[in-house]
């Protein structure tokens, strides 16, 4: 029985070939430090600073990223989302694997944040959602 279970698990891992190549975005209500990096928040208040940490899936040699925030809504004339903020960042020499900053939103709703490499603006490196109440 153990042998069958082992073979089945091995076959699943072999056939799946799963590879996670997306980055991670963590949100926090306070400035992100090594002490509170795992205190991820998803709900924020209107006018509150929303700190974020983007961790890249691999080294970003390009040196430039685009951070885009859009609001999920039914009222947008071109679909289900409305772009609220887009900002390009030049990564510092020590930021080849991550980027951290903050922003403030003044409307309630469900938001989504995407981070792109400036080399490929069609496929985001990471996507994460959060709420402003």
């Amino acid at each position: 029985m153990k042998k069958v279970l082992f073979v089945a698990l091995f076959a699943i891992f072999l056939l799946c070939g799963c590879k996670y190549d997306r980055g991670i975005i963590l949100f926090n209500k306070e400035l992100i430090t090594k002490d509170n990096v795992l205190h991820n928040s998803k709900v924020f208040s209107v006018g509150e600073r929303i700190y974020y940490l983007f961790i890249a899936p691999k080294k970003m040699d390009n040196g430039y990223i685009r951070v885009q925030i859009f609001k999920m809504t039914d009222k947008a004339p071109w679909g289900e989302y409305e772009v609220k903020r887009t900002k390009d960042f030049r990564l510092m020499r020590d930021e080849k694997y991550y980027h951290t900053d903050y922003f403030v939103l003044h409307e309630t709703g469900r938001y989504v944040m995407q981070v792109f490499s400036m080399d490929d603006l069609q496929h985001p490196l990471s996507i994460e959602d959060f709420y402003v109440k």
Side-chain angles (χ1 to χ4, degrees), residues 68-102:
Q68 184 179 57
I69 299 167
F70 58 91
K71 182 178 180 182
M72 302 301 289
T73 180
D74 295 331
K75 298 178 183 176
W78 53 84
E80 297 180 1
Y81 62 92
E82 180 179 1
V83 176
K84 289 295 185 179
R85 176 186 169 109
T86 300
K87 188 168 182 183
D88 298 337
F89 292 95
R90 179 175 176 253
L91 301 175
M92 296 298 138
R93 188 175 297 156
D94 61 341
E95 291 184 335
K96 296 298 182 180
Y97 291 97
Y98 73 96
H99 174 71
T100 185
D101 200 5
Y102 75 91

Side-chain angles (χ1 to χ4, degrees), residues 22-37:
R22 292 276 178 158
I24 299 170
I25 301 173
L26 301 173
F27 298 104
N28 203 326
K29 295 180 180 185
E30 301 173 0
L31 180 65
I32 297 176
T33 64
K34 64 180 179 178
D35 298 327
N36 69 356
V37 71

